[in-house]
Amino acid sequence: ISPALKIKQSGPGSGKGTQCEKIVAKYGYTHLSSGDLLRAEVASGSERGKQLQAIMQKGELVPLDTVLDMIKEAMIAKADVSKGYLIDGYPREVKQGEEFEKKIGAPALLLYVDAKAETMVKRLMKRGETSGRADDNEETIKKRLDLYYKATEPVIAYYEKRSIVRKINSELPVEEVFAIVEKAIDELK
Ligand SMILES: Nc1ncnc2c1ncn2[C@@H]1O[C@H](COP(=O)(O)OP(=O)(O)O)[C@@H](O)[C@H]1O
Ligand SMILES: Nc1ncnc2c1ncn2[C@H]1C[C@H](O)[C@@H](COP(=O)(O)OP(=O)(O)O)O1
Ligand SMILES: [Mg+2]
């Protein structure tokens, strides 16, 4: 499997999904969102999906092996046609990063899509008006943010040692954020 491009799990509502969509449109990478993969499992109505739904509704992390297996399967399924992978929402804790390296490989770039907590809450509350997501409500958003600062932010320091982190100011309008993203990706080439 070729090296994965990663997009930092830079906090819920920071704009990862929005930027990933634009990256796919321009660069054609295979976008794999751990949240989307999990929500697809929930939508399937399987027993496992029901357990996942309960965890996600509480704003907690699902078991590491479940997520990593899903990502790996999805990567393998696209291995023949993929121009590279854009992984969104993973790793959410340092342990997930370590396991990814062991089972899949080392990422080439980590895009750290950064927004203030206040901005993330505002965007998620707005998204919640239409998303239908069980975790886009005030109580769960608060838990997701707490968990983000506790478990996910340390992931950045872990990758900074290898100089693959590019911090992207996601307070700006979508197009301006994307201009910074493009620069970070083009520097790789
Ligand atoms: N740069 C931006 N400026 C304003 N709103 C944004 C920006 N980026 C994303 N949003 C909005 O914020 C919400 C969360 O974005 P999303 O991409 O779903 O974030 P994430 O995948 O990180 O949770 C969406 O409703 C999106 O339209
Ligand atoms: N790598 C991961 N490890 C554990 N749980 C994960 C995970 N990625 C997603 N989840 C679960 C817990 C999250 O609160 C939920 C939604 O994830 P998401 O769609 O990536 O959220 P967002 O894009 O708003 O940051 O799915
Ligand atoms: Mg998302």
Side-chain angles (χ1 to χ4, degrees):
I1 298 171
S2 65
L5 270 172
K6 287 197 183 177
I7 194 147
K8 171 60 176 103
Q9 168 54 314
S10 4
S14 58
K16 299 178 298 293
T18 303
Q19 294 301 319
C20 282
E21 215 174 283
K22 299 183 74 63
I23 293 170
V24 171
K26 174 158 184 188
Y27 298 93
Y29 296 135
T30 307
H31 176 211
L32 299 174
S33 152
S34 49
D36 287 349
L37 291 169
L38 292 166
R39 281 186 287 276
E41 182 72 28
V42 171
S44 79
S46 69
E47 204 40 55
R48 183 160 80 155
K50 285 188 192 121
Q51 290 164 12
L52 295 174
Q53 162 86 337
I55 296 170
M56 289 160 77
Q57 202 152 11
K58 285 190 278 184
E60 294 169 4
L61 296 181
V62 315
L64 192 160
D65 290 334
T66 309
V67 192
L68 189 52
D69 286 350
M70 279 181 175
I71 291 177
K72 191 171 175 183
E73 274 169 37
M75 288 179 83
I76 290 169
K78 291 283 165 71
D80 291 345
V81 292
S82 184
K83 291 184 189 170
Y85 298 94
L86 178 61
I87 295 177
D88 164 10
Y90 190 101
R92 259 178 160 83
E93 53 185 0
V94 171
K95 183 99 181 67
Q96 290 192 357
E98 291 167 354
E99 289 301 309
F100 187 94
E101 307 267 314
K102 273 192 223 156
K103 295 194 175 156
I104 296 169
L109 172 68
L110 191 149
L111 294 169
Y112 169 22
V113 180
D114 186 38
K116 289 184 290 192
E118 190 194 329
T119 305
M120 294 193 265
V121 172
K122 231 194 280 170
R123 289 179 184 172
L124 289 173
M125 290 299 290
K126 182 108 187 46
R127 187 174 78 183
E129 291 170 11
T130 54
S131 69
R133 276 176 55 164
D135 57 355
D136 281 349
N137 61 75
E138 200 168 352
E139 197 191 335
T140 311
I141 289 168
K142 194 177 171 305
K143 288 200 214 149
R144 288 159 72 198
L145 273 185
D146 285 348
L147 186 61
Y148 165 69
Y149 287 113
K150 228 185 288 164
T152 309
E153 227 181 32
V155 172
I156 299 159
Y158 171 77
Y159 286 105
E160 249 164 10
K161 293 181 203 135
R162 305 184 205 167
S163 313
I164 61 164
V165 177
R166 295 292 176 272
K167 188 170 174 176
I168 314 287
N169 178 6
S170 191
E171 295 287 339
L172 301 168
V174 172
E175 291 305 327
E176 289 176 38
V177 177
F178 187 59
I180 311 174
V181 168
E182 282 177 301
K183 236 180 107 208
I185 293 176
D186 292 339
E187 270 171 17
L188 266 186
K189 295 181 171 172

